[in-house]
Structure formats: structure tokens, C-alpha cells
Amino acid sequence: MTRPASPVLVIGECVADIVRSGEGPDRVHPGGSPANVAYGLARLGRPVTLLTELGPDANGRLIRKHLESAGVLVRAAEVARTPSAVVELDGQGRARYTFDIRWTLPPAELTEPPAAVHLGSIAAVTDPGAASVLALVEHLHGRTPISYDPNVRPALMGDRAGAVRRVERCVALSDLVKASDEDLAWLYPGERPEAVAERWLALGPSVVAVTLGAEGAFARTAEGGRVVVPAVPVRVADTVGAGDSFMAAFLHARAGGADLSVCLTRAVTAAALTVARPGANPPSAAELAAALAEADGRES
């Protein structure tokens, strides 16, 4: 009998995204960067456990149902209320967030070693819960592949120097790091994304990938490799969850043994599918495969 694959462990926040566009009533979407990555991985067929916090409220029930519908195993500590964020969209569908969130994750123990660990965003740098996250990641460091996406939220990061220290601690614990050019611009004003990628590689990761919005994405490796891929042209509904879809597709491809160019191509395609529809709605495996096949047909 074939033993089921161990799940990927994603650690981090769930957030109810209250999307406000000025056109009609507010819409509530399940969100939170790590939760979106977990959902995206599950949609692509990867077994996933999400270690998180949820409240016993309507938003918590909505998020749990959403995650479980894709097959995510939700392991949630109960808090008084589920975190939320008002998401205001500009004319180009770009999102600006106003958060109502605390992160208090208690120490956690694992019943089995995960296939990989992903951490990110608010949960990796916000005390008191960040201490539990980092203790678990430090325990697994060197034995389990670890990925990290800072997904910077300036309003929650405190002073820049302290935020950089906390982010770089997570980078140093990771094998794969992904960030957006906007993340890097806030953390390191005036520095080129390529230069920051080099700085982070020196801290320990084997791969650093950077998304560039409409310019696509690039990745650098510790061995000196560099891959660049263009963005997929798409009509943008909103950008909510695009980076998380990128991360999920990249991790899924990399776990399957794909080379760096293939990982990036699948990731930018998944992100394009996500921005073409409202909310953090990443593609299924079938949708991603169809989009990649269509792109191959256009190029042949």
C-alpha cells in the first residue's frame, strides 16, 4: 500500500477581507496570506495543514468552510474574534488594507514531520504569536524545506529597522523566499530588487524569487543562477491574493521537481488567473493546466 504523502504545514493568519470598491455593498472574502497559500496548494492537489487562529464568529466559520472545501486540514487555536481587514480598491484594482488583527498563537507540537513548512506575513513578525512560529520553524530548520513570504503590511510592521531585523531572521531560516518589489521597496528604500535578492541569498536561502507586477518575476539562486519570466497579460479585477497564488504554484511546482524556469512560469500564470477574478481565488490544478496549455499553443 502506498503511504499518503505528508502534508505541507502552513503557519499563519486567517483574515476576513472586507472588500470595499465604492461600487455596491462590501464583500467579505476569506483571506490572510498564509491561509491563501494553504488554499492555493490544496487547490493544486497538495495535502496541506494550516496552523492558525480563528474566532467562533461568522467570519471564522466562513474561512474554515472555505479552506476545508479545498481539502485544507485546519488546526486553529480559538481567539475572541477572527481577524479582519478592510480592503479598499483603486481604479486599477490595487488593494489598500486597514487591519483589525492580533496574533497570539500558543506554542504548538507536531504529531508527524511535515513534507515542508511555509510561513509568512503578519504571523512571522508579530508578537506574541511570532515567538511560537519561530520556535517551531527553528526546530525544523535543516530537516524540512522551509519557505517564507514577508508580504509586508507597513501599518503592522512597526519601525522599519526593527521590521528588517525580524524579516531577515525569517529569511535566514528559509530555503526559499519570495517577495514582491513593493515589499522590498518598503524594507530597503532605494535599493534595487536584484541587490536585495543577493543580500538575502547571503543569509542562507537557496532561492529568492521576486514578483514585479506587470513586469513579471525573477529568481536568483545561491549558485549564481538567474531566471526571468514575463507577466501574463490579463484584465485585472483586483490584485487580492495574487502573490499568494504565485507562492502556492511555485511551491507546488518545486515540490514536483520542476526547474526554476518552469516554477516561475507556473507561478506567474497562477497569479494572472487570480487577478482576473475578484478576491483571493487561486486556480485549481485543471485551470492552471488549461492556461499553461493555451499559452503553449499560442507560442507554437
Side-chain angles (χ1 to χ4, degrees):
M1 179 183 297
T2 302
R3 183 178 179 181
S6 296
V8 174
L9 175 65
V10 178
I11 312 172
E13 71 274 5
C14 293
V15 179
D17 287 337
I18 304 167
V19 180
R20 186 167 295 162
S21 65
E23 299 178 1
D26 293 349
R27 306 186 310 275
V28 180
H29 295 289
S33 178
N36 292 340
V37 172
Y39 183 78
L41 282 166
R43 290 268 287 165
L44 294 172
R46 187 72 52 182
V48 186
T49 297
L50 175 65
L51 180 60
T52 190
E53 296 181 327
L54 285 172
D57 48 29
N59 285 341
R61 292 189 292 274
L62 172 72
I63 291 171
R64 182 184 288 274
K65 181 178 179 180
H66 168 76
L67 291 165
E68 291 178 344
S69 72
V72 178
L73 176 61
V74 180
R75 181 179 169 187
E78 185 170 302
V79 291
R81 68 178 183 275
T82 300
S84 63
V86 174
V87 186
E88 296 184 81
L89 303 175
D90 66 15
Q92 286 73 49
R94 292 180 300 231
R96 182 167 62 87
Y97 296 81
T98 304
F99 290 95
D100 178 9
I101 183 170
R102 295 183 69 244
W103 178 248
T104 58
L105 188 76
E109 295 183 1
L110 303 179
T111 57
E112 63 175 339
V117 175
H118 176 73
L119 70 153
S121 199
I122 298 162
V125 296
T126 303
D127 288 326
S132 299
V133 175
L134 291 176
L136 189 54
V137 171
E138 286 171 346
H139 174 70
L140 295 168
H141 178 59
R143 296 185 289 166
T144 302
I146 295 169
S147 58
Y148 171 57
D149 178 1
N151 193 44
V152 170
R153 299 298 183 221
L156 301 175
M157 298 296 284
D159 71 282
R160 184 178 279 105
V164 169
R165 286 193 298 271
R166 294 191 296 274
V167 166
E168 290 186 348
R169 182 182 179 188
C170 295
V171 170
L173 289 169
S174 303
D175 304 289
L176 166 66
V177 180
K178 170 261 171 189
S180 71
D181 53 352
E182 292 180 346
D183 294 336
L184 302 186
W186 188 86
L187 290 166
Y188 307 97
E191 292 196 37
R192 295 182 303 107
E194 291 269 4
V196 178
E198 286 294 318
R199 176 198 298 235
W200 281 3
L201 286 169
L203 296 176
S206 58
V207 177
V208 173
V210 179
T211 59
L212 305 169
E215 301 301 316
F218 74 84
R220 300 290 300 266
T221 70
E223 294 79 21
R226 181 178 184 272
V227 176
V228 181
V229 299
V232 176
V234 66
R235 183 174 181 178
V236 176
D238 66 51
T239 62
V240 178
D244 305 322
S245 290
F246 178 102
M247 185 87 251
F250 194 105
L251 290 173
H252 181 68
R254 189 166 172 83
D259 64 28
L260 196 53
S261 178
V262 171
C263 290
L264 279 177
T265 298
R266 292 181 183 176
V268 297
T269 303
L273 290 168
T274 301
V275 302
R277 51 203 189 191
N281 187 5
S284 66
E287 288 173 327
L288 181 56
L292 292 166
E294 182 180 348
D296 287 343
R298 289 195 300 266
E299 293 173 4
S300 61

